[in-house]
Amino acid sequence: MTLADLPQTDIDIFGDATLRDPNPVWTTIRELGSVVYLSSRDTWLITRYEEVRDTLSDWESFTSAKGTVYSDEMSAMLGETPLTTDPPLHDNLRGVLSDKLAPRALRKLNAHITERADLLVSEAVEAGTIEAMDGLCKRLPVDIVADLIGLPVEGREILLPGAEAMFCTFGPYDERLLAKMPAIEEFVGYMNHVTSRDVLQPDSWGTAILDAVDDGRIQQEHAVPLMSAYLIAGMDTTVHTLGFYLKNLVENPSAWAALKEDPTLIGSGFEETVRLGSPVQLSYRVTTRDVEMGGQVLPANRRIILGTGAANRDPRHYENPDTFDIRRNPVDHLALGYATHACAGQGLARLEAKALITSLLNRVESLDLVGEIEGQSHVPGFAGISRLPLQLNALRN
Ligand code: HEM
């Protein structure tokens, strides 16, 4: 077999059309093979569920320490965090906040998150018609994560645009990323300023990181990247997951009715939402050896792209994969990663979604779409919603 016989395509997975609506592109590429050579980018995309999961499970063959973003330029600039390291350093860095994100600690946060969600939903119901990304989805995760890290209330307006710009660093080093550089620099300056005991709230995630530096568990140079990593990872991802959840409910009135009848389905709805439309569509690793997969040889020391979004809709693994089924409860999806690098904040994200949807079910009879939903298309490898106009029809007492 020659190279030309192996599955390959010249589709640009970072083109505007793909970013706006990646799923048709994933369907096309996934049917070419489980590992497909992308000629326009001179790299490989892993497309199918089993192979993506196998890759995520094998950190020794697919390292995170040589780059978990697409470009060499940005890989060289990003600091060491749980996402960008392998064990044992990975476990050490991740261990700093693991108690704070364990189920016991999360249970203690529940009342605070519920209170915030109730307040936001009451305001939204009062308004009746809202742009739900600005009115609900962006507000809850930003407040919650910023409070947990211990950031001052003043200056928080930088957080969401800063985190979004930082997410662009995962994609190609091109005009799109260069346009975000001023926002990235501003965000880095902000993080350098706030990573100090004078600024952070006591007993916060932020001071826990500084404690770990003081007692020698991590190096000083890890403090800012670690705090930034949790802050960045904890905002946009959850913002767009909440947006996708509301989109799925307004587009599927039977799912809303099912939740009304049985609110214990909220968790299943969360898993199905991220399976169907995960904000994180792509992850990156570098091969440490020649790896045979899907009939191809992935050479050593090459950056490989993992199509987690494509894998989550692989018909070999999920029946009717493009359908939102509130009862499916697909707990084995890869939208929150898998194995060593599985999302450290997934319990918190589930808690926030549960609080928001519960609050809506308690106050709203039905949801109507009152305009067009617009997808987000400017963050490569990432899916999101930029506009979600909703009417919330209040429950009559
Ligand atoms: C629904 C919302 C979320 C989604 C879809 C999501 C998705 C992901 C994914 C796919 C990964 C693995 C990336 C890879 O292997 O390359 C990951 C890792 C991570 N996430 Fe999340 N995430 C969410 C919420 C959060 C929250 C709320 C936090 C913290 C406050 C957080 C913190 C992290 C961290 C620290 C990692 C790195 C873990 C490691 O490498 O060991 N995430 N997330």
Side-chain angles (χ1 to χ4, degrees):
M1 192 184 277
T2 69
L3 204 60
D5 299 323
L6 294 171
Q8 58 179 296
T9 177
D10 59 4
I11 295 174
D12 183 7
I13 63 164
F14 297 117
D16 287 341
T18 310
L19 297 195
R20 219 173 352 263
D21 186 10
N23 292 308
V25 175
W26 300 156
T27 303
T28 304
I29 304 183
R30 195 176 48 229
E31 291 320 303
L32 295 174
S34 53
V35 181
V36 177
Y37 179 68
L38 304 177
S39 56
S40 66
R41 298 281 173 183
D42 186 23
T43 188
W44 288 263
L45 175 70
I46 306 182
T47 61
R48 294 182 188 164
Y49 181 90
E50 217 172 293
E51 287 78 359
V52 172
R53 194 186 53 192
D54 288 351
T55 307
L56 288 169
S57 312
D58 182 2
W59 65 265
E60 281 161 314
S61 306
F62 297 93
T63 177
S64 294
K66 292 185 181 168
T68 42
V69 300
Y70 176 78
S71 75
D72 290 334
E73 291 87 341
M74 291 320 297
S75 288
M77 280 166 71
L78 297 176
E80 287 175 324
T81 68
L83 188 66
T84 62
T85 52
D86 293 330
L89 178 57
H90 163 272
D91 303 355
N92 194 27
L93 293 173
R94 184 161 166 152
V96 172
L97 290 183
S98 55
D99 280 358
K100 305 265 185 206
L101 284 155
R104 205 167 144 201
L106 291 179
R107 272 196 296 278
K108 288 194 192 150
L109 289 177
N110 194 27
H112 173 61
I113 296 176
T114 303
E115 193 185 321
R116 292 292 308 157
D118 284 347
L119 197 73
L120 290 175
V121 169
S122 298
E123 277 178 36
V125 170
E126 180 105 345
T129 301
I130 56 161
E131 196 291 290
M133 295 311 291
D134 283 342
L136 291 174
C137 307
K138 287 184 185 171
R139 292 174 67 187
L140 186 65
V142 176
D143 278 355
I144 296 296
V145 176
D147 283 352
L148 288 170
I149 292 192
L151 298 177
V153 172
E154 201 176 292
R156 285 188 186 180
E157 61 284 350
I158 190 186
L159 294 180
L160 211 49
E164 193 183 282
M166 292 302 289
F167 266 114
C168 288
T169 63
F170 281 72
Y173 194 79
D174 59 9
E175 291 302 312
R176 206 189 270 127
L177 175 56
L178 291 176
K180 292 283 178 188
M181 279 304 174
I184 291 172
E185 276 163 25
E186 201 186 346
F187 183 78
V188 171
Y190 170 85
M191 287 312 297
N192 282 325
H193 166 67
V194 296
T195 311
S196 137
R197 285 198 197 273
D198 300 340
V199 178
L200 292 164
Q201 286 293 316
D203 290 328
S204 58
W205 292 5
T207 56
I209 291 172
L210 298 183
D211 292 345
V213 174
D214 289 350
D215 60 26
R217 277 177 287 145
I218 59 170
Q219 307 292 312
Q220 175 69 48
E221 76 217 35
H222 292 134
V224 174
L226 198 53
M227 208 177 298
S228 309
Y230 280 82
L231 183 61
I232 295 164
M235 291 191 297
D236 257 26
T237 50
T238 316
V239 164
H240 292 286
T241 296
L242 298 178
F244 280 127
Y245 204 156
L246 295 183
K247 172 180 183 287
N248 290 332
L249 294 180
V250 76
E251 288 180 344
N252 297 278
S254 63
W256 173 260
L259 282 183
K260 278 273 187 194
E261 201 169 303
D262 179 6
T264 66
L265 287 173
I266 290 175
S268 169
F270 173 90
E271 307 307 331
E272 179 67 341
T273 290
V274 287
R275 181 195 70 77
L276 196 67
S278 174
V280 183
Q281 292 285 306
L282 302 174
S283 286
Y284 307 87
R285 299 290 189 266
V286 173
T287 48
T288 56
R289 59 176 181 87
D290 289 357
V291 180
E292 264 192 70
M293 188 181 274
Q296 310 239 19
V297 177
L298 304 173
N301 292 315
R302 294 296 297 270
R303 184 160 289 106
I304 306 300
I305 308 178
L306 280 66
T308 43
N312 282 330
R313 290 185 180 223
D314 183 354
R316 291 156 198 80
H317 193 76
Y318 295 110
E319 235 173 78
N320 301 322
D322 298 325
T323 305
F324 178 75
D325 175 357
I326 188 92
R327 297 176 194 280
R328 187 191 306 255
N329 199 22
V331 288
D332 61 352
H333 63 68
L334 305 174
L336 293 153
Y338 187 73
T340 313
H341 294 279
C343 178
Q346 53 184 291
L348 178 61
R350 288 192 179 94
L351 212 58
E352 291 179 51
K354 186 173 177 205
L356 185 74
I357 303 297
T358 304
S359 191
L360 283 166
L361 290 171
N362 288 341
R363 289 170 179 73
V364 175
E365 182 62 43
S366 59
L367 306 171
D368 287 322
L369 197 58
V370 288
E372 212 172 310
I373 300 176
E374 283 170 23
Q376 176 185 266
S377 62
H378 52 281
V379 187
F382 199 84
I385 298 182
S386 52
R387 188 166 174 272
L388 182 56
L390 292 185
Q391 184 174 311
L392 308 180
N393 304 309
L395 264 181
R396 279 183 227 103
N397 293 320

